């Protein structure tokens, strides 16, 4: 059975055995702790302290983030996506005693100093940008402001407003003086000194012309040019200081391994503390409830026996309506395609796992969409070899293997359609004519010159998958003992669609002619008689049954969706042919034309491989989700997550 059988278990033990049992369960990793609904004891529940562990874990995460930001030896592109786990023994993991506090305080202090320098540099940069507008001003900035008898201001106004400003000032008196200096663009800087008695008139004039005095962000000494030079000197000093702090921060990378080990240790400890909150207590006993795979029951019992006899284990099968966790259990080949099921959503416990049904179809669909021997070979090598070099988690490894099998399918389809980098192998030198002959001997369908057979093959595959979806739905309803729905709906439509195929096939195969039409009429009458069974009026029953035959249009639309397989495979081959054509075109140039042509062909083929692989994955998955799953599948399950060591950086051996 693709979905593992689960058992609801309850372990009743003496309270003094609680710590030992929890440690054992975390080590075994077979029990998902979950309190049974409606099951509770009245009694004092000991408090579970998690605040200290959460604080410690937060500080360790801060240290790791700090090291990631300021490390000098940045990881490679691949390592950033697929970091290698630290392999440690269980004893080393459980005996972790690294004191992170000095590292945390040092990192926090360095971060504070670096942030202070960063803030100061940003402020000085803003001041430098401000002063650059007045770099031609020869007047010390400390002279701006008020004295006993005068007030000095700076104005930055368009050149055409300068004469208007002076005219307005003359109209109101002569207790002022101004001088003009260049600025950015069409603006000018006006240095204006006015007597205190003239200030009311000055404010009126400024309002009339829409000018506002320049406000300095802080007090500066000397001319703008001198102040800017002092700022640059200060910024250089801060930059040197920052570089020293960065070098010091990089030295703490030597604690990275200890921090990662401590992170996972405290993460597992926090997981244990939180699970302790889901344990029921009485004055003398504890009850640990949860879910276990049926195949792990014996392992659990034998392990508990090693702790003594102060425990009792109760087990039962899941009851209808219970929320049972899901553990998919497929064969080694099918398991690679579980990623597709997980992307859509896991089935509930009472459903069928669709993975065994979608795996062969996705394999074929991906191969048709990519459909090239060389592209498939590259993808297969990448999918099967990359996980070994990168040491990725199991889920990522299965995804790579799924792509690898898609590459294998592409090789098979490419052989049958004669696509080896498009038609590149048809233009090999005469010395390699044997390779070209071998390639042509394998070709069954050439979709470039005769596309119709490939289109028909794609549609037939779609029809087969739709029929499989209906048959799986029939089996599911039959298992649920919904016999009427299984026979009248799922099996009825399955037979009717099959009858249509047989009738169409009878035009080509004489063997089918004697029973094709009776089969079609009989299945159609069956649908007419059963699809309106919910209606009470006999006339409406017949009319509803007749109208239900219109549903064949929906199935026809589903089958036509599979034409995308043919279209994507054809486009992949055509772009490969275009790459070869452009390579030959550029390669005809003199001198280094061959190199340019080779680069152009290579770039086009890499682009085609990436985009065609992406399209093959997306559209093949889309056909599973939209055309196949809608016939029978119901998701909504939650994954089985047994209580174990939760690690992010460490792999416990």
């Amino acid at each position: 059975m693709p979905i593992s059988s689960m058992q609801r278990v309850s372990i009743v033990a003496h309270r003094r055995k609680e710590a030992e049992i929890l440690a054992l369960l975390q080590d075994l990793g077979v029990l998902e702790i979950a309190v049974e609904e409606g099951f509770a004891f009245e009694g004092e529940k000991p408090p579970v302290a998690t605040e200290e562990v959460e604080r410690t874990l937060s500080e360790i995460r801060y240290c790791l983030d700090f090291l990631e930001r300021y490390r000098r030896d940045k990881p490679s592109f691949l390592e950033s996506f697929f970091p290698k786990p630290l392999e440690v023994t269980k004893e080393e993991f459980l005996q972790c005693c690294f004191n992170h506090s000095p590292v945390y305080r040092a990192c926090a202090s360095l971060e504070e100093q670096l942030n202070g320098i960063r803030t100061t540099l940003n402020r000085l940069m803003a001041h430098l940008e401000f002063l650059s507008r007045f770099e031609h001003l020869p007047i010390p900035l400390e002279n701006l402001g008020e004295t006993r008898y005068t007030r000095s201001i700076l104005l930055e106004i368009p050149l055409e407003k300068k004469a208007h400003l002076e005219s307005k000032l003359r109209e109101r008196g002569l207790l002022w003086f101004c001088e003009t200096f260049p600025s950015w663009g069409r603006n000018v800087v006006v240095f204006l000194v006015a007597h205190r008695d003239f200030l009311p008139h000055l404010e009126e004039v400024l309002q009339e012309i829409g000018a506002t005095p320049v406000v300095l962000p802080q007090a500066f000494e000397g001319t703008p040019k001198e102040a800017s030079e002092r700022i640059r000197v200060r910024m250089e000093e801060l930059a040197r200081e920052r570089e020293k702090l960065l070098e010091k921060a990089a030295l703490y990378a030597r604690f990275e391994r200890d921090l990662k080990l401590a992170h996972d240790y405290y993460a597992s400890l926090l997981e244990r503390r939180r699970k302790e909150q889901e344990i029921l207590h009485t004055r003398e006993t504890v009850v640990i409830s949860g879910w276990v795979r049926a195949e792990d029951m014996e392992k659990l019992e034998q392990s508990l026996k090693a702790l003594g006899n102060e425990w009792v284990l109760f087990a039962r099968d899941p009851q209808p309506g219970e929320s049972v966790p899901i553990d998919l259990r497929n064969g080694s080949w099918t398991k690679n395609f579980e990623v597709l099921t997980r992307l859509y959503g896991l089935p509930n416990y009472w459903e069928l796992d669709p993975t065994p049904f979608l795996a062969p179809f996705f394999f074929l669909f991906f191969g048709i969409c990519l459909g090239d021997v060389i592209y498939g070979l590259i993808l297969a090598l990448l999918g099967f070899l990359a996980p070994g070099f990168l040491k990725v988690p199991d889920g990522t490894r299965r995804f790579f293997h799924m792509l690898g099998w898609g590459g294998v399918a592409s090789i098979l389809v490419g052989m049958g359609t004669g696509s080896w980098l498009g038609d590149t192998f048809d233009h090999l030198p005469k010395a390699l004519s044997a390779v070209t002959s071998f390639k042509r001997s394998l070709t069954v369908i050439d979709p470039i010159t005769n596309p119709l057979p490939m289109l028909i093959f794609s549609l037939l595959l779609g029809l087969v998958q739709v029929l499989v979806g209906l048959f799986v739905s029939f089996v599911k309803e039959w298992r649920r003992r919904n016999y009427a729905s299984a026979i009248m709906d799922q099996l009825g439509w399955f037979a009717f669609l099959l009858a249509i195929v047989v009738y169409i096939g009878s035009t080509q195969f004489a063997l089918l002619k004697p029973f094709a039409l009776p089969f079609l009429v009989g299945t159609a009458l069956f649908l007419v008689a059963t699809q309106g069974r919910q209606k009470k009026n006999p006339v409406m029953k017949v009319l509803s049954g007749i109208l239900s035959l219109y549903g064949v249009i929906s199935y026809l639309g589903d089958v036509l969706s599979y034409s995308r397989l043919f279209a994507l495979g054809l486009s992949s081959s055509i772009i490969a042919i275009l790459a070869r054509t452009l390579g030959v075109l550029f390669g005809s140039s003199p001198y280094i034309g061959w190199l340019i042509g080779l680069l152009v062909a290579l770039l086009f083929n890499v682009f085609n491989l990436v985009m065609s692989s992406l399209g093959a994955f997306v559209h093949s998955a889309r056909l599973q989700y939209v055309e196949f799953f809608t016939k029978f599948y119901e998701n909504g399950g939650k994954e089985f997550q047994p209580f174990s060591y939760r690690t992010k950086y460490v792999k416990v051996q």
Side-chain angles (χ1 to χ4, degrees):
M1 183 177 180
I3 298 179
S4 298
S5 298
M6 306 297 291
Q7 291 275 295
R8 162 64 82 170
V9 301
S10 295
I11 303 172
V12 183
H14 197 277
R15 289 184 67 159
R16 68 176 176 224
K17 287 288 186 179
E18 178 181 355
E20 288 184 74
I21 293 176
L22 280 175
L24 173 67
L25 293 176
Q26 191 169 27
D27 188 40
L28 288 176
V30 298
L31 172 68
E32 178 179 328
I33 297 178
V35 179
E36 190 170 353
E37 294 182 7
F39 188 62
F41 284 130
E42 293 183 2
E44 182 181 354
K45 186 174 183 178
V48 179
T50 61
E51 293 81 3
E52 182 65 22
V53 180
E54 289 174 346
R55 182 188 63 79
T56 300
L57 195 58
S58 176
E59 291 177 354
I60 294 175
R61 285 173 180 158
Y62 172 84
C63 293
L64 289 170
D65 291 341
F66 178 89
L67 297 183
E68 188 63 31
R69 286 195 300 272
Y70 298 112
R71 66 190 307 165
R72 294 296 176 90
D73 54 333
K74 296 293 183 181
S76 64
F77 177 77
L78 288 176
E79 287 179 344
S80 61
F81 281 95
F82 308 107
K84 295 181 180 179
L86 299 174
E87 296 184 356
V88 299
T89 62
K90 185 170 68 174
E91 291 74 16
E92 183 181 2
F93 179 74
L94 296 177
Q95 295 174 6
C96 176
C97 57
F98 177 68
N99 183 11
H100 75 285
S101 297
V103 178
Y104 170 73
R105 288 193 295 269
C107 292
S109 176
L110 289 171
E111 184 83 74
E112 184 179 0
Q113 295 177 65
L114 287 167
N115 286 338
I117 291 175
R118 189 180 298 111
T119 302
T120 304
L121 285 173
N122 291 337
R123 177 169 52 82
L124 292 177
M125 183 60 70
H127 291 171
L128 201 60
E129 184 178 353
F130 172 82
L131 292 173
S132 64
R133 294 155 50 191
F134 311 104
E135 60 183 2
H136 298 295
L137 187 68
I139 299 170
L141 295 175
E142 63 266 24
N143 291 344
L144 296 177
E146 296 186 2
T147 65
R148 183 175 180 181
Y149 297 105
T150 65
R151 181 183 177 190
S152 303
I153 63 172
L154 284 179
L155 297 174
E156 190 176 22
I157 58 176
L159 180 61
E160 56 269 19
K161 280 190 177 184
K162 193 249 183 187
H164 187 50
L165 171 65
E166 292 180 345
S167 173
K168 292 289 185 181
L169 291 174
R170 290 192 191 98
E171 291 176 3
R172 288 169 171 76
L174 299 174
L175 299 176
W176 57 274
F177 165 81
C178 74
E179 190 169 352
T180 305
F181 303 94
S183 182
W184 284 355
R186 299 181 58 188
N187 290 348
V188 293
V189 176
V190 177
F191 176 66
L192 195 151
V193 183
H195 195 276
R196 292 181 66 88
D197 296 339
F198 193 73
L199 292 181
H201 302 295
L202 177 61
E203 292 177 357
E204 292 177 2
V205 171
L206 294 179
Q207 288 180 358
E208 289 180 14
I209 68 171
T212 304
V214 174
V215 179
L216 299 180
Q218 71 167 42
F220 294 105
E221 294 183 359
T223 64
K225 188 174 183 179
E226 294 170 345
S228 296
E229 186 59 32
R230 283 194 291 272
I231 289 176
R232 291 189 182 93
V233 172
R234 177 57 181 157
M235 290 178 68
E236 291 176 359
E237 293 175 353
L238 289 173
R240 289 193 292 269
E241 185 178 347
R242 180 182 59 185
E243 188 60 30
K244 291 180 180 178
L245 291 174
L246 290 175
E247 291 178 359
K248 190 174 181 181
L251 295 176
Y252 284 90
R254 65 184 185 274
F255 297 109
E256 183 176 16
R257 185 182 186 280
D258 294 323
L259 287 168
K260 287 182 176 180
L261 181 59
H263 173 278
D264 285 356
Y265 170 79
Y266 284 104
S268 296
L269 181 59
L270 181 61
E271 174 77 4
R272 177 171 169 174
R273 294 284 175 84
R274 287 174 175 170
K275 290 302 179 183
E276 289 175 4
Q277 297 175 344
E278 300 182 32
I279 296 175
L280 302 175
H281 295 79
T282 67
R283 187 169 59 183
E284 299 293 337
T285 64
V286 293
V287 180
I288 304 174
S289 299
W291 296 98
V292 178
R293 287 182 291 252
E295 63 194 59
D296 292 328
M297 283 296 300
E298 184 178 355
K299 179 180 179 181
L300 176 62
E301 290 187 55
Q302 294 300 324
S303 299
L304 287 172
K305 287 179 181 179
L307 300 181
N309 298 319
E310 297 173 294
W311 57 270
V312 179
L313 178 65
F314 299 95
R316 63 170 176 80
D317 293 328
Q319 297 175 354
E322 273 191 301
S323 178
V324 186
I326 303 301
D327 179 60
L328 299 182
R329 184 180 180 184
N330 290 291
S332 57
W333 184 78
T334 308
K335 201 171 188 65
N336 298 314
F337 298 88
E338 284 182 2
V339 61
L340 298 168
T341 303
R342 296 178 187 278
L343 283 175
Y344 188 83
L346 291 171
N348 63 62
Y349 184 73
W350 313 101
E351 267 289 315
L352 292 170
D353 178 12
T355 310
F357 304 105
L358 72 85
F361 286 112
F362 185 87
F363 173 78
L364 284 173
F365 295 169
F366 193 101
I368 294 173
C369 290
L370 188 56
D372 188 274
V373 174
I374 305 303
Y375 292 164
L377 180 62
I378 294 172
L379 196 62
L381 291 175
L382 176 65
F384 292 130
L385 299 181
F389 288 106
L390 300 176
K391 295 184 179 180
V392 295
D394 288 343
T396 307
R397 177 177 54 80
R398 286 195 291 269
F399 177 78
F400 271 103
H401 285 177
M402 181 188 67
L403 294 181
W405 281 111
V408 172
S410 178
I411 293 173
L412 298 176
V413 174
M415 288 180 177
T417 57
S419 180
W420 300 54
L421 284 182
D423 63 349
T424 302
F425 277 55
D426 289 330
H427 298 81
L428 294 176
K430 291 184 178 180
L432 299 175
S433 59
V435 177
T436 304
S437 300
F438 174 72
K439 173 248 182 186
R440 291 175 178 172
S441 67
L442 297 176
T443 303
V444 178
I445 300 174
D446 187 355
I448 301 296
T449 59
N450 187 18
L452 187 59
M454 196 64 187
L455 175 60
I456 294 174
F457 180 69
S458 299
L459 295 178
L460 286 176
L461 274 179
L463 179 63
V464 170
Q465 187 171 43
V466 169
L467 291 174
V468 169
L470 286 172
F471 186 77
V472 172
S473 181
F474 162 75
V475 173
K476 183 182 75 171
E477 293 300 322
W478 188 272
R479 289 175 56 187
R480 291 179 175 179
R481 299 184 179 180
N482 297 330
Y483 302 122
S485 176
I487 295 174
M488 297 180 187
D489 295 331
Q490 280 70 38
L491 189 59
W493 274 105
F494 177 87
F496 182 58
L497 293 177
L498 187 61
I500 294 175
V501 176
V502 171
Y503 182 76
I504 295 174
S506 66
T507 60
Q508 300 295 325
F509 303 99
L511 185 64
L512 301 177
K513 285 185 178 181
F515 61 89
L517 184 59
F519 185 26
L520 178 61
V521 174
T523 53
L525 291 176
F526 179 79
L527 289 177
V528 170
T530 58
Q531 295 304 290
R533 63 184 182 277
Q534 304 298 334
K535 305 293 183 181
K536 294 183 179 180
N537 189 314
V539 176
M540 292 303 298
K541 283 186 177 184
V542 176
L543 290 176
S544 297
I546 295 173
L547 289 174
S548 69
L549 297 179
Y550 186 75
V552 75
I553 302 298
S554 174
Y555 288 105
L556 177 62
D558 292 345
V559 172
L560 289 176
S561 293
Y562 290 82
S563 61
R564 72 186 65 231
L565 300 175
F566 159 73
L568 287 168
L570 189 63
S571 66
S572 173
S573 297
I574 291 175
I575 296 175
I577 293 173
L578 177 62
R580 179 196 59 79
T581 304
L582 289 176
V584 172
L585 181 64
F586 282 95
S588 61
S589 303
Y591 305 113
I592 61 170
W594 64 272
L595 179 60
I596 297 175
L598 183 63
L599 289 175
V600 169
L602 179 63
L603 289 175
F604 261 83
N605 278 300
V606 169
F607 170 79
N608 191 25
L609 173 61
V610 173
M611 297 307 297
S612 296
S613 299
L614 180 61
F617 175 80
V618 171
H619 287 280
S620 298
R622 185 257 180 209
L623 289 172
Q624 311 304 317
Y625 298 153
V626 178
E627 316 299 347
F628 187 48
F629 279 11
T630 53
K631 304 295 183 295
F632 67 94
Y633 185 54
E634 296 177 18
N635 60 356
K638 61 173 185 175
E639 188 167 8
F640 178 61
Q641 296 180 334
F643 175 47
S644 61
Y645 302 120
R646 299 297 180 194
T647 60
K648 180 179 179 181
Y649 304 104
V650 171
K651 182 177 181 180
V652 181
Q653 295 178 333

